[in-house]
Amino acid sequence: MTDERRPETPAESEGTTGLFTALGKMVKLLRERKGLTQREFGERVGYGPDAISAMERGVRVPRPELLEKADELLNAGGLLTAALPEVREAMSRARTRHPEWYRSYAGLEAEAVSLYDYSTMGVLGLLQTETYARAVFTQRHPPLDEETIERRVTDRLSRQQLFERWPPPECSFVMEQAVLERPIGSDEVHAEQLRRLLRIGRLRNVQLQVMPTKRHEHPCLDNSFTLLTPKGREQVAYLESQGYPRLITDREEVRILAGRYGIIRAQALNPHESLDLIEKTLEEP
């Protein structure tokens, strides 16, 4: 066990764990009766299979619009929509659930109106599938215990509700080509992750770009970093090295990183070329 102090999840703090677990079980039962796989069901309601899996296990809060679509699609006859008032109330009182050292950033990320990220070693947590995230945490050294792994996977997936907000935040992601070529977990996990990148990259509020390995010039060989602008506040930066996080609020430091990110975007492949490269990588044996 680690000595990391675990914050309560929203469901635990508000006593709604049973509600979300029951809803997840009902959705799974209705989906299976309808003869749909998690992927098929997810495609029809606008979610990936990893999100559907998390919801059916009760570790992800089902958003009201998903329950409304599911109720109609699965012929639930109002069984799922009957819980909408309780779900909306729980969401309105939900608190951020991440390790204490990460809470400041996670809170800002949850209310961001824009988010830009440059990734060098692996897929950004905000874009990871459930199986990819689990592989990342399973391979940590020193090893994490199973309870901590599951908790961190759940918390990572909970952040992805950022993409379900309306209006959505403006997002830009630039990743090194090596990230696409590194099969974390297994070939199957890797392929699923690439398909998720394609789905995210086609969202109207997202610009996803790849920095080719063969670029002769590169403005940032230091580390990954994230720039985000919380609603009504100034832009901040976040970076992490070997588990040591740093939230940057100094205007000059943020300005330097923002300028560097602009050059990175200019030197990377454009979004259409980047998605083509991801598709090509997915097709390679």
Side-chain angles (χ1 to χ4, degrees), residues 67-231:
L67 291 176
E68 291 173 343
K69 292 179 181 178
D71 196 275
E72 180 178 358
L73 175 64
L74 303 177
N75 300 322
L79 181 65
L80 300 178
T81 54
L84 288 179
E86 288 77 12
V87 170
R88 291 193 174 100
E89 181 180 1
M91 291 179 64
S92 70
R93 294 181 295 178
R95 299 201 302 261
T96 303
R97 53 177 189 181
H98 298 282
E100 190 167 355
W101 58 264
Y102 193 76
R103 283 182 175 179
S104 295
Y105 173 78
L108 295 173
E109 181 186 80
E111 62 181 36
V113 294
S114 70
L115 187 149
Y116 307 151
D117 180 84
Y118 166 60
S119 298
T120 60
M121 299 300 294
V123 175
L124 178 68
L126 200 60
L127 306 178
Q128 291 177 7
T129 65
E130 180 178 353
T131 52
Y132 186 100
R134 182 170 287 105
V136 169
F137 289 126
T138 300
Q139 295 172 22
R140 284 282 175 88
H141 286 276
L144 300 173
D145 62 85
E146 292 301 319
E147 180 184 350
T148 300
I149 290 172
E150 290 306 310
R151 183 171 70 244
R152 292 193 179 183
V153 170
T154 298
D155 292 347
R156 178 156 291 183
L157 294 178
S158 75
R159 293 170 51 206
Q160 298 175 4
Q161 296 190 45
L162 175 83
F163 294 110
E164 300 160 18
R165 283 177 14 207
W166 189 264
E170 175 193 356
C171 295
S172 168
F173 304 105
V174 181
M175 59 187 64
E176 290 291 331
Q177 184 175 351
V179 173
L180 304 179
E181 299 169 348
R182 183 172 293 116
I184 298 293
S186 68
D187 290 339
E188 182 178 344
V189 170
H190 182 56
E192 182 186 17
Q193 181 61 67
L194 292 180
R195 287 191 289 268
R196 173 165 173 77
L197 292 178
L198 289 173
R199 290 196 301 271
I200 295 293
R202 291 177 179 133
L203 296 176
R204 289 182 296 164
N205 62 306
V206 172
Q207 297 279 304
L208 192 153
Q209 297 175 254
V210 177
M211 176 69 81
T213 303
K214 293 185 178 181
R215 280 285 187 264
H216 294 163
E217 298 178 349
H218 200 305
C220 184
L221 295 175
D222 296 334
N223 206 346
S224 303
F225 64 90
T226 302
L227 295 163
L228 63 85
T229 305
K231 185 176 182 180

Side-chain angles (χ1 to χ4, degrees), residues 14-113:
E14 302 297 341
T16 53
T17 302
L19 168 65
F20 297 131
T21 300
L23 279 173
K25 289 181 177 180
M26 286 191 289
V27 169
K28 180 179 180 180
L29 178 63
L30 291 167
R31 172 183 62 76
E32 292 177 341
R33 283 185 176 178
K34 192 75 172 179
L36 298 174
T37 65
Q38 290 180 337
R39 183 177 300 279
E40 291 169 338
F41 175 58
E43 289 175 350
R44 299 191 187 189
V45 295
Y47 285 77
D50 49 319
I52 298 300
S53 173
M55 184 191 69
E56 290 185 347
R57 289 183 291 110
V59 299
R60 177 171 179 156
V61 178
R63 296 186 66 83
E65 56 269 27
L66 183 147
L67 291 176
E68 291 173 343
K69 292 179 181 178
D71 196 275
E72 180 178 358
L73 175 64
L74 303 177
N75 300 322
L79 181 65
L80 300 178
T81 54
L84 288 179
E86 288 77 12
V87 170
R88 291 193 174 100
E89 181 180 1
M91 291 179 64
S92 70
R93 294 181 295 178
R95 299 201 302 261
T96 303
R97 53 177 189 181
H98 298 282
E100 190 167 355
W101 58 264
Y102 193 76
R103 283 182 175 179
S104 295
Y105 173 78
L108 295 173
E109 181 186 80
E111 62 181 36
V113 294

Side-chain angles (χ1 to χ4, degrees), residues 218-274:
H218 200 305
C220 184
L221 295 175
D222 296 334
N223 206 346
S224 303
F225 64 90
T226 302
L227 295 163
L228 63 85
T229 305
K231 185 176 182 180
R233 302 170 67 176
E234 293 187 355
Q235 189 176 55
V236 299
Y238 175 84
L239 53 87
E240 183 181 338
S241 178
Q242 296 299 318
Y244 291 93
R246 185 183 176 205
L247 181 63
I248 303 172
T249 58
D250 181 80
R251 289 182 179 180
E252 181 61 15
E253 290 188 69
V254 174
R255 183 193 67 78
I256 291 173
L257 287 173
R260 191 174 294 171
Y261 189 79
I263 299 174
I264 291 173
R265 289 184 74 175
Q267 293 185 344
L269 299 176
N270 69 41
H272 293 294
E273 294 169 335
S274 298

